[in-house]
Amino acid sequence: MTEEYKQFDSAKTDKIPIVPGLVKHISGLKFTELISIIVIFVVSLVCVVFVILFTTGKPTVVVEENVCVTAACLKSASYVVGNMNKSVDPCKNFYKYACGGFTNNNRLDSETYSKTVYSKLYYENEEKLKNILESPVVNGNDHSAERKLKDMFASCTNSYLKERAKGYPFLKKILPNTGGWYVLGTWNSSTWNMQNALEKVHMDYWTNALFRFRVATDWNDWKKRVIEACIHVNVYQDFDL
């Protein structure tokens, strides 16, 4: 060990602390080389410290766990993305970036002069309602709202059957249920009941005959609602009974 320390004394490195186990490896190094190694080590250590401080100083990105992944949410997200045109730079034309996909997928034709998200939604809902009204009646009760709606829709949309039937539905179906008609000789004054006839007209055929009912605000107490019976003169004027 004495000879090894003498070698460091000759290299003028007596001021540098020496670990006895490393003497054999560094005894042959010059002083400048040793300083270079120390500088490189210190610089590397400083870089590591800066990297640690930089990464820990960044705000933590919190991943939202409560993300909606239902079929409705995915469909809505897909619809929004489908209306975009990501090939356009949003900094140059944000409208085309956000809505370019919609304009490309919804071209105007000879029957339409404009198309918007709202008009498209309107016509899609109209088509869905049409399919519902044209479907078979589930509730077969004659007084059910479903049957009344679907029968009325069918009578309004089938112009061919209306033209072919002429007045047959009114003469053969409606009049017999309401007591008949004097002109046709099917009315009998002894068996006719006005209350039953009005009930049929109002409930079964949704027609305001002589009067109509409505829900209105009580004139004596605005916090209450009352059922009013109005004399039905025409579509523009009603008189309260």
Side-chain angles (χ1 to χ4, degrees):
M1 295 297 295
T2 305
E3 295 297 330
E4 293 174 352
Y5 278 107
K6 286 182 179 180
Q7 292 179 5
F8 278 94
D9 289 339
S10 61
K12 299 180 180 181
T13 58
D14 54 333
K15 295 182 179 181
I16 301 175
I18 302 299
V19 180
L22 300 177
V23 171
K24 293 182 180 180
H25 299 285
I26 63 175
S27 59
L29 295 176
K30 296 181 180 179
F31 180 78
T32 55
E33 294 175 345
L34 186 61
I35 294 298
S36 300
I37 293 174
I38 295 174
V39 170
I40 293 173
F41 175 78
V42 172
V43 171
S44 301
L45 182 62
V46 171
C47 292
V48 171
V49 172
F50 270 106
V51 170
I52 295 174
L53 293 176
F54 181 77
T55 54
T56 55
K58 277 188 173 182
T60 304
V61 179
V62 179
V63 179
E64 183 64 37
E65 296 182 356
N66 297 325
V67 178
C68 180
V69 292
T70 62
C73 290
L74 295 177
K75 184 178 180 180
S76 300
S78 176
Y79 178 77
V80 173
V81 174
N83 288 337
M84 299 173 63
N85 186 357
K86 295 185 177 181
S87 63
V88 179
D89 186 356
C91 297
K92 295 181 179 180
N93 193 327
F94 185 78
Y95 177 79
K96 286 188 176 181
Y97 172 78
C99 305
F102 181 84
T103 55
N104 293 334
N105 298 329
N106 296 274
R107 297 292 184 180
L108 297 179
D109 50 36
S110 58
E111 297 181 355
T112 56
Y113 63 91
S114 67
K115 283 186 179 181
T116 64
V117 176
Y118 300 105
S119 64
K120 183 179 179 181
L121 183 63
Y122 172 80
Y123 288 115
E124 288 179 353
N125 286 337
E126 287 286 309
E127 187 65 24
K128 292 179 181 178
L129 289 174
K130 179 176 178 291
N131 294 333
I132 293 174
L133 292 173
E134 289 179 345
S135 63
V137 178
V138 178
N139 188 352
N141 186 2
D142 293 338
H143 298 285
S144 67
E146 180 190 2
R147 176 174 289 280
K148 293 176 182 178
L149 281 173
K150 292 183 176 181
D151 288 347
M152 182 179 66
F153 180 78
S155 65
C156 295
T157 56
N158 197 332
S159 58
Y160 173 75
L161 287 181
K162 286 194 298 181
E163 184 66 23
R164 185 177 179 181
K166 302 295 182 180
Y168 177 82
F170 176 76
L171 297 175
K172 299 298 182 180
K173 293 183 178 181
I174 297 178
L175 283 180
N177 290 333
T178 55
W181 190 14
Y182 175 79
V183 176
L184 300 177
T186 57
W187 180 71
N188 189 342
S189 60
S190 61
T191 59
W192 185 76
N193 186 291
M194 183 177 180
Q195 181 176 346
N196 293 337
L198 289 175
E199 180 182 346
K200 285 281 186 180
V201 171
H202 280 268
M203 295 184 61
D204 294 347
Y205 304 117
W206 289 9
T207 302
N208 296 322
L210 302 181
F211 60 89
R212 72 182 184 91
F213 293 101
R214 69 181 181 185
V215 178
T217 303
D218 189 354
W219 289 10
N220 299 320
D221 188 355
W222 63 271
K223 295 181 180 180
K224 296 181 180 180
R225 299 292 182 268
V226 294
I227 298 177
E228 294 182 347
C230 309
I231 299 175
H232 191 69
V233 179
N234 53 48
V235 294
Y236 303 104
Q237 186 177 9
D238 289 324
F239 294 96
D240 295 335
L241 295 178

